[in-house]
Amino acid sequence: MNRAAHITRPPRLWRSYGRAAVAATAFPALLYGYTEWTIRSDIADFVLIILVTINAGVVYQFGHRIAPGLGDMFRDLPATATDPQGAVDDILGNQWMLPFGLCYGAVIGGGAWMLDPWHTPDLRLWLAGFVFCGSVITGMGIFAVLRFWHALLQALPQMDLRILNLSRSPLPAILRINSQIVMVTAVVASLAILSVVLAGYDRDPVVILFSLFSLFLVAATYAVPVIPLSNRLMSVKVEALNQIEPLIEAHIRDRSNQPRRADHPHPDKPLPDLDKLIEARDMISAVRTLPPGGQVSVSAAGIVTFLSFLPSIIDYILNKLL
């Protein structure tokens, strides 16, 4: 059947909750900006208001657009091949997604309350409320990433991986989806840190902890799926080498007129050509398992590292210029 007929849809919960969360960010953004202008006659953290609102839209749109790719990936995994839409629904439409987002928003909003950059009760409340609303959709996205990790790690033992064919499904789809998640996480984290940096708030411990958490989240989105996947590939690589090494050793024993080892699997059968065995061993040994995607994954990690440190670079430049 045509694969296009199985395009996976974003879950209804993500569409409804996501739209509501974005709207609930944009409206308080206007109210907070208006209140700040009324009280202070300026909007000193205008950049923060814009970037937090943009981040909410980015997270929602990414969840909406990645659903078909997730469906294609789950269709290639043995554990979810029969119901890829259900697997996507468990990630982007889980019933606990909104409560998690609300809790995350409460934590980040509480941090804004503790920060209290304007030392004005009215603005303190409006800033905390705006940051809370803007962080709910981010918390929902973090919950979706956690569900993605859970689904991938559960499916990992059943994957049919071939060390000499890393382009065989499902590996390319997994790496492609994870690279997209890492890149968007890096963009969202960079914008979040940049919003605080350009808002002109004091370098309070709350700001430092938030920045460190954001950078940790970027690193985790890359490492949590890739390291177990690389370990699994390494075990496949070792298994393949263990099949070849006894044959090479049997050749050496035959040439030196020594009996083959007692644990040799086929002591009386003719051996494959030695040169071909050595060539196969060298090919397998040369395969990189960390990162499993080779240079493509390394390039993605380099871009992510730059995006993660971009706010600090801009802050340094501004401090030098001003």
Side-chain angles (χ1 to χ4, degrees):
M1 189 174 291
N2 191 342
R3 195 178 183 88
H6 295 285
I7 296 177
T8 307
R9 302 180 306 277
R12 183 181 61 83
L13 285 180
W14 179 265
R15 297 197 304 270
S16 58
Y17 290 167
R19 289 169 184 167
V22 172
T25 302
F27 186 60
L30 295 174
L31 293 178
Y32 170 60
Y34 174 77
T35 304
E36 185 176 353
W37 175 267
T38 302
I39 295 176
R40 293 172 46 88
S41 299
D42 71 341
I43 306 178
D45 52 358
F46 175 77
V47 175
L48 178 136
I49 296 173
I50 295 298
L51 292 183
V52 170
T53 306
I54 290 175
N55 255 355
V58 168
V59 174
Y60 168 70
Q61 283 297 327
F62 179 66
H64 193 275
R65 294 178 182 275
I66 202 175
L70 283 172
D72 290 340
M73 185 196 75
F74 284 125
R75 199 170 289 115
D76 292 333
L77 297 178
T80 55
T82 57
D83 186 19
Q85 180 68 60
V88 174
D89 290 347
D90 188 57
I91 290 176
L92 292 171
N94 191 283
Q95 62 178 347
W96 293 103
M97 179 178 62
L98 181 59
F100 185 93
L102 291 171
C103 291
Y104 178 82
V107 171
I108 303 301
W113 176 273
M114 294 172 58
L115 188 61
D116 189 19
W118 310 129
H119 306 291
T120 303
D122 290 341
L123 283 182
R124 184 184 195 185
L125 178 62
W126 278 107
L127 175 62
F130 165 63
V131 171
F132 163 76
C133 294
S135 300
V136 170
I137 185 68
T138 303
M140 291 167 56
I142 293 174
F143 182 83
V145 170
L146 294 176
R147 296 302 302 170
F148 170 74
W149 291 347
H150 179 264
L152 192 59
L153 295 178
Q154 274 199 326
L156 188 58
Q158 304 177 35
M159 292 183 194
D160 184 15
L161 300 176
R162 309 290 174 86
I163 194 63
L164 290 179
N165 188 7
L166 296 184
S167 61
R168 185 174 185 269
S169 64
L171 189 58
I174 293 172
L175 294 176
R176 182 170 58 253
I177 291 295
N178 193 62
S179 294
Q180 293 174 12
I181 292 174
V182 174
M183 292 301 297
V184 172
T185 303
V187 169
V188 170
S190 296
L191 291 179
I193 299 173
L194 189 60
S195 68
V196 177
V197 169
L198 296 182
Y201 300 158
D202 294 335
R203 301 304 185 267
D204 188 272
V206 173
V207 175
I208 296 174
L209 287 175
F210 173 73
S211 301
L212 292 176
F213 169 75
S214 299
L215 295 176
F216 167 78
L217 190 61
V218 174
T221 53
Y222 181 81
V224 171
V226 167
I227 291 179
L229 186 58
S230 297
N231 291 339
R232 175 71 198 287
L233 283 172
M234 177 59 73
S235 66
V236 174
K237 179 178 180 177
V238 170
E239 182 180 350
L241 290 173
N242 287 341
Q243 294 176 358
I244 295 176
E245 291 293 349
L247 299 176
I248 296 177
E249 183 183 8
H251 265 289
I252 296 174
R253 285 179 171 271
D254 287 352
R255 293 187 178 188
S256 60
N257 296 320
Q258 299 181 42
R260 296 181 186 178
R261 294 174 60 95
D263 58 353
H264 192 278
H266 304 292
D268 300 325
K269 290 186 177 182
L271 296 171
D273 182 73
L274 179 60
D275 291 337
K276 292 183 177 179
L277 287 173
I278 293 175
E279 181 182 0
R281 182 196 63 185
D282 292 343
M283 287 176 60
I284 294 173
S285 299
V287 175
R288 296 179 57 183
T289 59
L290 184 62
Q295 189 59 40
V296 174
S297 294
V298 172
S299 300
I303 296 172
V304 166
T305 301
F306 172 77
L307 289 173
S308 299
F309 285 98
L310 182 60
S312 298
I313 296 172
I314 294 177
D315 184 43
Y316 175 80
I317 294 173
L318 290 177
N319 286 334
K320 288 295 184 179
L321 293 177
L322 299 178

